[in-house]
Amino acid sequence: MTGCDLLRYARVHRATAIITGTVVVALLSAFFGNTRIALPSIGSASLSSGVPYRQELPLLSAVFITAAFGGSMSAHEASGTPAFHRLRRAYLVALTTLACVLSFGTESLTAGPEQGVVFVRSLLIWLGLALLSVRLFGEQLGWLIPLASAFALIWYPLHWWDWTANPASDVASWSTAALSLAWGAAATAATPWRRRTLFRSRS
């Protein structure tokens, strides 16, 4: 696998659209991140003041990255050779790294380095959940599990599980990130042909 292979793969797998979407999200956070999502109170006065957009915007970047798995050839690509899947993983890693760098840079300039780290951590957690959602529900529904988790964070914020608001050094949130990425990586690796091969070897 060479850099040219990766560029060719990126050209036909929505790299421009994904990167553009990530940049737009970073700019939205920079300019409107402190604006609060208006929420009705459901028993807690803190909910009436809402949640800053900055805390939820990483979800969009994570879901945008999973668009790399879509396309008219996605079903055929799932049964590609090991070399093809290595290229696919390299592309996913490259997109994720670029999204993290862009997001951290923008957040650090506008809200400080700690908030940049929190933004990147949220992006990684939601990316793992989005990859799991893609495997379970299909390429068009990578947003399903991340959105479900966002509802829990929005309506029950400021608890130990709220990785969008916990400090950059919070161990529980980083453990959640590691676990989520592990789930996402395992789901991505569990292609149909690999599952069939595993079942045959066990039978």
Side-chain angles (χ1 to χ4, degrees):
M1 180 181 66
T2 66
C4 291
D5 294 330
L6 189 58
L7 286 175
R8 282 195 294 268
Y9 185 90
R11 193 175 297 120
V12 297
H13 285 83
R14 305 173 176 171
T16 301
I18 293 169
I19 294 170
T20 300
T22 302
V23 170
V24 169
V25 169
L27 292 175
L28 284 173
S29 185
F31 289 104
F32 305 106
N34 288 329
T35 304
R36 291 182 171 268
I37 303 169
L39 295 170
S41 176
I42 53 173
S44 173
S46 63
L47 289 178
S48 60
S49 61
V51 177
Y53 278 108
R54 171 170 280 117
Q55 293 182 198
E56 312 307 323
L57 283 172
L59 187 153
L60 295 178
S61 295
V63 173
F64 287 158
I65 292 173
T66 65
F69 294 114
S72 58
M73 297 294 291
S74 59
H76 298 287
E77 290 176 351
S79 58
T81 64
F84 178 84
H85 283 283
R86 284 195 295 271
L87 183 62
R88 199 182 198 192
R89 285 195 299 272
Y91 179 53
L92 180 61
V93 170
L95 283 177
T96 302
T97 301
L98 183 58
C100 288
V101 169
L102 288 171
S103 300
F104 177 77
T106 305
E107 286 295 289
S108 295
L109 289 173
T110 57
E114 179 163 346
Q115 182 56 47
V117 172
V118 172
F119 195 101
V120 168
R121 183 181 65 200
S122 296
L123 192 160
L124 294 175
I125 291 173
W126 271 317
L127 176 60
L129 294 178
L131 292 174
L132 179 62
S133 189
V134 165
R135 176 59 65 213
L136 293 176
F137 305 109
E139 292 87 357
Q140 302 302 317
L141 294 174
W143 52 268
L144 191 58
I145 296 178
L147 186 62
S149 69
F151 279 126
L153 297 177
I154 289 172
W155 289 110
Y156 300 99
L158 304 178
H159 294 283
W160 66 266
W161 62 76
D162 187 2
W163 61 75
T164 65
N166 289 336
S169 58
D170 184 65
V171 175
S173 296
W174 282 109
S175 299
T176 301
L179 183 61
S180 177
L181 285 173
W183 282 344
T188 302
T191 57
W193 67 270
R194 281 180 174 159
R195 295 199 301 269
R196 287 195 295 269
T197 301
L198 180 62
F199 291 148
R200 286 197 201 101
S201 64
R202 288 184 174 179
S203 59

